Amino acid sequence: MKKLMIYGATGYTGRMAAEQAKALGLELVLGGRTEQTLRPLAARLGVAYRVFAVDQLTSQSLEGVDVLLNFAGPFARTAHALMRACIECGVDYLDITAEINVYRLAEQLGAEAASAGVMLLPGVGWDVVPTDCLAVHVARRVQGPQSLKVALQVAGSMSRGSALSVSEIIGAGLLARVGGALVATPDAQPRHFDFGEGPVLCAPLSFGDLVTGWHSTGIPDIAMFVHITGEAFPEGDLAQLPEGPSAEQRAAHRARAVAEVTGADGRVARSLIETVNGYTYTPLAAVQAARRVLGGERRPGFATPAQLFGSGFAESIAGSSITDF
């Protein structure tokens, strides 16, 4: 059997993914920086583990591994070294980030990865799987799609890792895709989107969809927005946050996103995707993506979830549905 490494396996979401991968019977090895936390998890799951930091990668770190699934965020600190190592070792790279600069990096490394026969597939969680698939779905509802707007609804408490990643996203500045190019939009204004309970104000923010949406749909103008409840966005010392919401908290808050596409004739189509909580969805989607890549569904170079698996992939995760407006 081909082998999957989950790096960052002892984190909040990585642990759930490791349990899911083991339950599916995948050939699994855990990776991370700290033996103290890796050893007991590996023993409980009955799998091997390897201890290394991303700045201490050796040829043995990825030996025998076919797919690396990176859960170690903030991904701005881990993705570059791991992508480079994957290209050198012939290993397909997947992660769960929404940090736009990681997508830009994967895009930049795409040609080199393709030459090495390696795939770079960031964003196999929530975000980007549901929004990428939703964008393709709604784009098919208009003639000559010209403009795409995507809005996420973030409800419930945020994990420590997500909060740190959001800090990276904010630090990237406000961007949009205009005429096919990423441009700074410091004066971008909030706007209202309806997630099923009436319009709510959403703030512009630069998620990875500004890259994936372009590759998946070819739409030249793309903007991203987010609605975050007061409970969701933490303040203060993010490192002191709880690891993540409990199972009960996750069950209480489903996840939603809206995509709006304008066609060449001015017609606007809107669709909404609703799924289980993002922290429940992410390990399920990420492990399914890894399983399919291990099974041969792959395309060397930079890829997006919808490109690789089709627009129906998001809804293949239990508890997910798309509604058209």
Side-chain angles (χ1 to χ4, degrees), residues 221-313:
D221 296 340
I222 304 174
M224 291 291 303
F225 300 83
V226 63
H227 175 69
I228 300 178
T229 67
E231 178 189 0
F233 195 74
E235 297 179 349
D237 185 357
L238 301 182
Q240 300 305 312
L241 288 172
E243 195 176 36
S246 66
E248 293 76 15
Q249 289 172 323
R250 295 199 306 270
H253 296 283
R254 291 175 63 78
R256 298 176 181 86
V258 171
E260 175 183 295
V261 173
T262 303
D265 60 358
R267 180 174 174 269
V268 178
R270 297 178 181 86
S271 296
L272 177 145
I273 188 166
E274 180 174 338
T275 75
V276 293
N277 185 272
Y279 294 111
T280 301
Y281 188 99
T282 290
L284 296 174
V287 172
Q288 281 298 333
R291 181 186 65 81
R292 291 176 64 164
V293 174
L294 289 165
E297 293 183 60
R298 55 189 303 278
R299 47 181 290 174
F302 172 72
T304 72
Q307 278 180 325
L308 188 64
F309 304 125
S311 62
F313 179 51

Side-chain angles (χ1 to χ4, degrees), residues 13-14 69-72 75 93-99 103 121-128 282-283 286:
T13 317
L69 179 51
N70 180 17
F71 279 83
F75 295 85
Y93 173 92
L94 284 65
D95 69 30
I96 61 160
T97 190
E99 298 169 30
Y103 291 84
L121 179 64
V124 292
W126 213 129
D127 184 54
V128 157
T282 290

Side-chain angles (χ1 to χ4, degrees), residues 146-148 174-185 188 210 214 218-223:
Q146 299 296 307
S147 170
L148 167 66
L174 288 180
L175 300 167
R177 192 167 289 274
V178 180
L182 279 178
V183 299
T185 54
L210 293 174
W214 164 243
I219 295 175
D221 296 340
I222 304 174

Side-chain angles (χ1 to χ4, degrees), residues 6-32:
I6 294 181
Y7 189 78
T10 61
Y12 174 69
T13 317
R15 209 165 45 243
M16 290 189 279
E19 292 165 352
Q20 176 70 7
K22 175 64 177 179
L24 290 179
L26 301 183
E27 185 70 22
L28 178 64
V29 57
L30 308 183

